[in-house]
Amino acid sequence: MNKNEPPILEVRNVSIRFGGVAALTRVSLSIWPGEVVALVGDNGAGKSTLVKTISGIQSPDEGEILVSGAALSLKSPHDANAAGIQTVYQDLAICDNLDTVQNLFLGREYYHPWYKGRRLDRAGMEARAKEVLANLDVKIRDINVPANSLSGGQRQSVAICRSILTDPRVVLLDEPTAALGVAQRKQVLNLIERLRAQGRAVIVISHDLGDVQQVADRVVVLRLGNKVAEVSRGSYTREELVGAITGMISNEEMAALSRREGVSHV
Amino acid sequence: MSKQLSAFTTFANPAPQETPKMKLDAVLGALATRYRMLPVLLALVLIWAYFAWANPLFLSPRNLSNLSLQIVTTGIVALGLMFVLVIGEIDLSVAATGAVSAAITAGMAVNQGFDTVTAVAVGLLIGAAIGCVQGLVITYFRAPAFIVTLGTSLILQGILLDLLPASSNLISLVGQPLGKVATIYLPGLVSVALLAVVIALGLVFSLQSYAAKKRNALPASFLWSVVAPAVSLAIVGTVVIAVFSSYRGVPLLVAFLLGLLGFFAYVTTQTRFGVYLYAIGANAEAARRAGISVKFLRVTAFTLTGIFAALGGMIAAGRVLGVSPDSADTTLLLEAIAAAVIGGVSLFGGRGSVWAALTGALVIGSVSNGMLLINASTQTRLEVQGAILTLAVILDAYLSRKANRGR
Ligand SMILES: Nc1ncnc2c1ncn2[C@@H]1O[C@H](COP(=O)(O)OP(=O)(O)OP(=O)(O)O)[C@@H](O)[C@H]1O
Ligand SMILES: [Mg+2]
């Protein structure tokens, strides 16, 4: 990761209000290729709102979003996808009545040219689906049956596979390991590491601090819509992180924590 | 807390046992989706068996020919309704839309001397415009479709009265080309040729799929994916043509309905447009996040419903040889909704195929036709039709719950 280059994604002073609730207040965040940044915070801290802003679902009231140093206005998920940003949402974006292949390719189906009736290239999608699922070691007995027969873990896996189908530069994961069994959780963490190895930037929301410590290069702590700390791998303890999340440590301590560098603590 | 627990329970129950209840759920889930046609076809077989037993005339070619003509209007309007039902909306204005479009078409053809093709095209455009406006209102004002289309229906019934001549309240289609479409029957040779074209088209598509599967190293059975569908289509088609031919031949309108169904079966299952409609019906938010233009598709669905309503209205007018205030009565609306639901289109959105319009209309049509043949009273007819619709809705609600248990 070369920090002399502009970050692949930068959020600058973004604020969002929902009526009386300040969901985000002047939040900034940068991420470089090949980096995993974890977003942590209590329920309602604004994590999902921040992710929705980056993925074009929610326009910020103030502030801007830059991709490779250029300010972009992300008015729709389509704009975000075009800028190389893909998102896996907390509330699963799976259609129960569509099968695994249709869910994987929803919105970017392969299809034949007009002189072949614009017919969907089902076989092409099925083959690519099998490849992607096998790559990430996701096991689904029959990819041709509606998703209502999949387990929660399988649905999450499909959602993640869906996000990397288009080879994005930035992947946003909103609580990807919530509600997963041990084996599938480990699989998702491995998958995140694989994404990093491929040079993608990954932003992951998680409530599981064990997962965060294992996988994140940097941790950004949100509380009540404010960014209260940003710490690098190995420069914090789990207790300090809990303190930052819950507000049990003072602002001065928090600032000191954010300035700390390197691998001194474990 | 619950997150740690979930990790723990995974250890505690390494492999969930497949209980009989889970198997039953899986079967019901499949019944709600892939095999949704089964209960309808079963009901149809029972209904036909009963009426054939009660009155052998029921299965006579002449009666089957009449029955099939009777269901064309319901089938076309139900096909149109299917588009809005699949995205989880409803359109209660179809009968009124059809009547107004038919009144305009008939007025142009009869009173203003336009040629029939122009008049029909304008009528279809009117239907499209009505559907489109309703779709826009529902999409952009986020008004409930139920009320918007009910209100529109009342407005259109008023407009219909304005359109009809004050003196007679009727535009007659006697002697008009429109009044004759229902009496056109295809010669046997033409029917066979059409069947051959359809089978050839089917073969092109199934061979294309088969080749693509082989190319992508996916399992594919030539026998089951190419030979079997073509052979069964040929057999069913031949039987149908034989039955019709022993009366007057395949009615043009019936061939037209089958053609429409075939075309839109392709559109809904083989194109992105179709997949997107189903996706919106199941999870509109997921569809939106996938970059699908949900608003545009919603308006398109209502527009299509309007076009089919207009088409149904014109055909109904052609069959009864005129447009009158009765053209907008609610029987057609209720029968079309009933047909779609009985055929397996879910009122909860996201489920149901184009063929539901045919099977559902056949169930409804067979019951009314058969009841007349056995001289059942109007009371009994209404009671039986109402009971069938209610059963269909109960089945829909039950299967939808089973299908969504994953949530
Ligand atoms: N669409 C909305 N309308 C009104 N308020 C909202 C909306 N979305 C979020 N909020 C509010 O904004 C705040 C931040 O919510 P957000 O979903 O971003 O939290 P979170 O950090 O993701 O929480 P969790 O850990 O529970 O997922 C909360 O107070 C929430 O109630
Ligand atoms: Mg959240």
Side-chain angles (χ1 to χ4, degrees):
Chain A
M1 159 185 19
N2 180 1
K3 293 218 172 178
N4 295 324
E5 284 178 10
I8 182 80
L9 176 78
E10 182 178 358
V11 175
R12 210 178 265 173
N13 291 324
V14 160
S15 300
I16 288 187
R17 300 185 66 84
F18 293 114
V21 184
L24 290 177
T25 313
R26 299 180 66 77
V27 171
S28 299
L29 167 70
S30 298
I31 184 165
W32 281 264
E35 203 185 14
V36 177
V37 169
L39 220 48
V40 300
D42 223 337
N43 293 118
K47 308 179 296 294
S48 296
T49 306
L50 182 56
V51 163
K52 284 180 183 163
T53 314
I54 302 171
S55 57
I57 297 229
Q58 191 84 60
S59 297
D61 296 335
E62 278 168 43
E64 52 186 357
I65 291 170
L66 299 86
V67 175
S68 302
L72 289 184
S73 91
L74 304 174
K75 290 215 164 46
S76 72
H78 187 80
D79 294 346
N81 296 350
I85 301 170
Q86 284 288 337
T87 312
V88 179
Y89 300 97
Q90 179 176 16
D91 33 351
L92 287 173
I94 293 284
C95 294
D96 271 333
N97 58 348
L98 303 184
D99 65 26
T100 300
V101 180
Q102 289 172 318
N103 267 301
L104 275 176
F105 285 88
L106 188 63
R108 41 175 180 252
E109 290 81 0
Y110 300 165
Y111 57 94
H112 295 297
W114 63 268
Y115 55 83
K116 284 189 180 173
R118 286 195 176 271
R119 192 170 183 217
L120 291 169
D121 178 9
R122 174 76 199 188
M125 290 191 279
E126 223 170 292
R128 175 92 175 103
K130 285 201 162 153
E131 194 180 291
V132 171
L133 294 172
N135 252 343
L136 304 177
D137 205 20
V138 176
K139 292 190 177 62
I140 289 173
R141 209 179 306 158
D142 187 350
I143 56 176
N144 296 306
V145 301
N148 63 16
S149 63
L150 299 183
S151 75
Q154 287 174 319
R155 292 155 72 88
Q156 183 63 276
S157 307
V158 170
I160 293 177
C161 291
R162 205 186 124 68
S163 75
I164 60 161
L165 216 54
T166 52
D167 197 21
R169 292 179 294 170
V170 181
V171 180
L172 310 173
L173 303 166
D174 194 348
E175 301 207 34
T177 55
L180 289 194
V182 178
Q184 273 176 328
R185 168 183 301 237
K186 193 159 172 288
Q187 214 183 80
V188 170
L189 294 183
N190 285 342
L191 161 58
I192 292 174
E193 273 158 11
R194 230 171 294 174
L195 296 180
R196 168 171 54 201
Q198 291 168 347
R200 297 182 219 273
V202 182
I203 298 181
V204 48
I205 296 180
S206 181
H207 283 287
D208 188 310
L209 299 185
D211 287 358
V212 168
Q213 275 182 311
Q214 184 187 334
V215 82
D217 299 309
R218 270 187 299 137
V219 183
V220 169
V221 184
L222 292 181
R223 184 149 56 84
L224 299 173
N226 293 283
K227 177 165 140 184
V228 292
E230 178 169 339
V231 295
S232 330
R233 184 190 283 282
S235 71
Y236 61 91
T237 64
R238 183 187 278 238
E239 287 69 35
E240 286 168 327
L241 208 52
V242 172
I245 290 169
T246 56
M248 296 300 281
I249 64 174
S250 69
N251 287 345
E252 292 73 44
E253 284 173 293
M254 211 108 70
L257 182 61
S258 294
R259 276 194 303 273
R260 218 183 280 163
E261 278 286 335
V263 232
S264 50
H265 284 254
V266 173
Chain B
M1 166 94 177
S2 67
K3 274 164 204 141
Q4 273 118 23
L5 264 184
S6 75
F8 174 72
T9 43
T10 317
F11 272 130
N13 310 315
Q17 294 285 309
E18 269 216 2
T19 61
K21 174 149 188 335
M22 284 171 63
K23 272 195 194 132
L24 180 68
D25 278 354
V27 169
L28 287 171
L31 208 57
T33 49
R34 296 174 107 186
Y35 305 112
R36 187 61 182 82
M37 271 311 181
L38 281 183
V40 199
L41 291 177
L42 185 69
L44 202 55
V45 168
L46 291 178
I47 290 168
W48 281 35
Y50 171 76
F51 285 123
W53 169 80
N55 186 344
L57 277 183
F58 181 78
L59 287 186
S60 67
R62 181 198 157 113
N63 188 55
L64 290 180
S65 181
N66 286 340
L67 167 60
S68 67
L69 268 172
Q70 283 156 9
I71 67 160
V72 168
T73 307
T74 315
I76 285 181
V77 178
L79 170 61
L81 270 171
M82 185 232 141
F83 290 99
V84 284
L85 290 176
V86 157
I87 61 167
E89 303 281 357
I90 196 156
D91 186 346
L92 299 179
S93 75
V94 283
T97 302
V100 165
S101 310
I104 289 173
T105 298
M108 284 177 68
V110 176
N111 301 334
Q112 272 137 49
F114 284 91
D115 66 300
T116 306
V117 175
T118 313
V120 167
V122 170
L124 292 178
L125 274 179
I126 298 284
I130 295 172
C132 180
V133 168
Q134 295 188 99
L136 287 169
V137 169
I138 288 156
T139 305
Y140 288 96
F141 294 104
R142 298 178 191 214
F146 175 68
I147 302 297
V148 171
T149 57
L150 190 64
T152 310
S153 178
L154 293 176
I155 296 174
L156 291 172
Q157 287 176 39
I159 292 179
L160 176 65
L161 292 179
D162 283 335
L163 287 172
L164 297 174
S167 50
S168 62
N169 240 355
L170 177 85
I171 303 176
S172 165
L173 286 171
V174 177
Q176 287 285 321
L178 260 181
K180 289 183 189 144
V181 274
T183 60
I184 300 175
Y185 294 84
L186 301 179
L189 221 58
V190 175
S191 308
V192 172
L194 282 179
L195 177 63
V197 169
V198 169
I199 293 175
L201 265 179
L203 275 174
V204 167
F205 286 126
S206 59
L207 280 171
Q208 196 187 41
S209 293
Y210 178 77
K213 280 197 169 170
K214 282 281 169 225
R215 205 168 43 243
N216 285 292
L218 295 169
S221 147
F222 189 76
L223 182 66
W224 286 111
S225 64
V226 180
V227 179
V231 169
S232 31
L233 189 57
I235 293 174
V236 173
T238 309
V239 169
V240 169
I241 290 176
V243 170
F244 279 122
S245 298
S246 57
Y247 183 53
R248 289 184 182 164
V250 180
L252 174 68
L253 287 179
V254 172
F256 177 65
L257 173 63
L258 292 176
L260 271 186
L261 289 170
F263 178 75
F264 281 96
Y266 177 87
V267 169
T268 51
T269 63
Q270 303 295 315
T271 71
R272 287 176 297 162
F273 174 73
V275 175
Y276 294 172
L277 289 182
Y278 287 96
I280 292 173
N283 192 339
E285 184 57 20
R288 197 173 74 84
R289 289 177 186 177
I292 295 168
S293 175
V294 174
K295 289 181 175 173
F296 174 77
L297 285 177
R298 214 170 250 153
V299 175
T300 307
F302 275 97
T303 308
L304 277 173
T305 306
I307 294 175
F308 283 106
L311 197 56
M314 288 176 212
I315 291 174
R319 287 198 61 233
V320 301
L321 295 175
V323 185
S324 71
D326 287 347
S327 304
D329 82 6
T330 49
T331 315
L332 174 60
L333 166 68
L334 292 180
E335 290 201 337
I337 293 182
V341 174
I342 290 170
V345 179
S346 173
L347 287 173
F348 303 94
R351 268 184 295 277
S353 94
V354 158
W355 300 105
L358 180 65
T359 54
L362 268 177
V363 167
I364 300 250
S366 302
V367 170
S368 9
N369 176 296
M371 291 286 214
L372 281 177
L373 273 187
I374 61 170
N375 286 323
S377 63
T378 307
Q379 299 91 297
T380 321
R381 198 169 54 89
L382 289 174
E383 284 156 12
V384 170
Q385 283 185 336
I388 291 180
L389 174 58
T390 311
L391 278 178
V393 172
I394 292 172
L395 185 68
D396 175 31
Y398 180 70
L399 289 180
S400 291
R401 217 167 48 241
K402 288 293 171 193
N404 289 334
R405 89 206 127 84
R407 296 246 177 113

